[in-house]
């Protein structure tokens, strides 16, 4: 129950387990979506066409969109601005962490673009480049005064 003793009247999921079940359904949905993203290859001496489904990343936005389509808006479960959804804090954290882990692992293994994965998860390698320039003019003999 929420910290203020109230349960929001428009609550879609009554328990954290119901939200977890929706996340499991989302992962199955994403796996099925991979059949829409095919990598076409031509293999062998005869160049046979082979289509291979690509791994589709999990995203928090995708999960929210999935829930909106099948259940309703779940933003307030993750935001918990008024404390009505405090009992969902642990499952929301686990969902976010599993999505982040999927993105990081997929980036490391080359399934996802590593650069985008790094930026999405605040893992960018920040390098400072300090360039100092100057002109070095060597002392040359005076060419105009030839005797």
């Amino acid at each position: 129950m929420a910290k203020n003793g109230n349960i929001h009247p428009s609550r879609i999921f009554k328990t954290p387990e119901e939200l977890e079940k929706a996340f499991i359904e989302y992962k199955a949905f994403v796996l099925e979506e991979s059949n829409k993203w095919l990598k076409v290859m031509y293999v062998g001496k005869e160049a046979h066409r082979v289509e291979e489904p690509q791994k589709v990343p999990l995203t928090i936005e995708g999960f929210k969109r999935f829930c909106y389509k099948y259940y309703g808006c779940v933003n307030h479960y993750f935001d918990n601005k008024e404390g009505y959804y405090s009992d969902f804090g642990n499952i929301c954290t686990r969902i976010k962490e599993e999505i982040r882990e999927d993105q990081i692992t997929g980036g490391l293994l080359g399934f996802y673009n590593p650069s985008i994965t790094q930026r999405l998860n605040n893992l960018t390698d920040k390098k400072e480049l300090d360039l100092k320039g100057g002109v070095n003019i060597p002392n040359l003999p005076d060419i105009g005064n030839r005797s």
Side-chain angles (χ1 to χ4, degrees), residues 84-102:
Y84 285 119
Y85 304 95
S86 298
D87 47 334
F88 287 84
N90 288 338
I91 188 62
C92 289
T93 299
R94 283 199 352 248
I95 288 171
K96 288 178 187 176
E97 288 174 350
E98 187 171 338
I99 288 172
R100 186 171 192 264
E101 180 185 19
D102 176 75

Side-chain angles (χ1 to χ4, degrees), residues 125-132:
D125 187 17
K126 297 180 182 182
K127 296 178 184 175
E128 285 189 33
L129 297 176
D130 190 15
L131 299 176
K132 295 180 181 179

Side-chain angles (χ1 to χ4, degrees), residues 46-61:
E46 301 294 322
H48 294 287
R49 180 184 165 111
V50 175
E51 295 177 345
E52 182 179 282
Q54 297 300 289
K55 181 158 176 30
V56 177
L58 301 176
T59 63
I60 193 69
E61 294 80 9

Side-chain angles (χ1 to χ4, degrees), residues 67-80:
C67 285
Y68 187 77
K69 181 176 181 180
Y70 295 103
Y71 297 103
C73 183
V74 295
N75 285 337
H76 40 279
Y77 287 88
F78 290 91
D79 299 340
N80 191 27

Side-chain angles (χ1 to χ4, degrees), residues 3 5 7 12 22 28-29 45 60 63 75 82-83 85 99 139-141 144 146:
K3 68 180 177 183
I7 293 179
I12 299 165
F29 169 78
K45 185 170 79 170
I60 193 69
F63 177 59
N75 285 337
E82 297 176 14
Y85 304 95
I99 288 172
N139 290 335
L140 297 175
R146 290 193 174 179

Side-chain angles (χ1 to χ4, degrees), residues 19-60:
L19 182 59
E20 183 177 27
K21 182 177 177 267
F23 183 62
I24 291 167
E25 291 171 6
Y26 166 68
K27 291 190 292 185
F29 169 78
V30 168
L31 191 60
E32 184 65 31
E33 283 290 296
S34 69
N35 292 323
K36 293 181 181 177
W37 300 93
L38 300 175
K39 180 178 182 179
V40 177
M41 299 175 289
Y42 295 92
V43 296
K45 185 170 79 170
E46 301 294 322
H48 294 287
R49 180 184 165 111
V50 175
E51 295 177 345
E52 182 179 282
Q54 297 300 289
K55 181 158 176 30
V56 177
L58 301 176
T59 63
I60 193 69

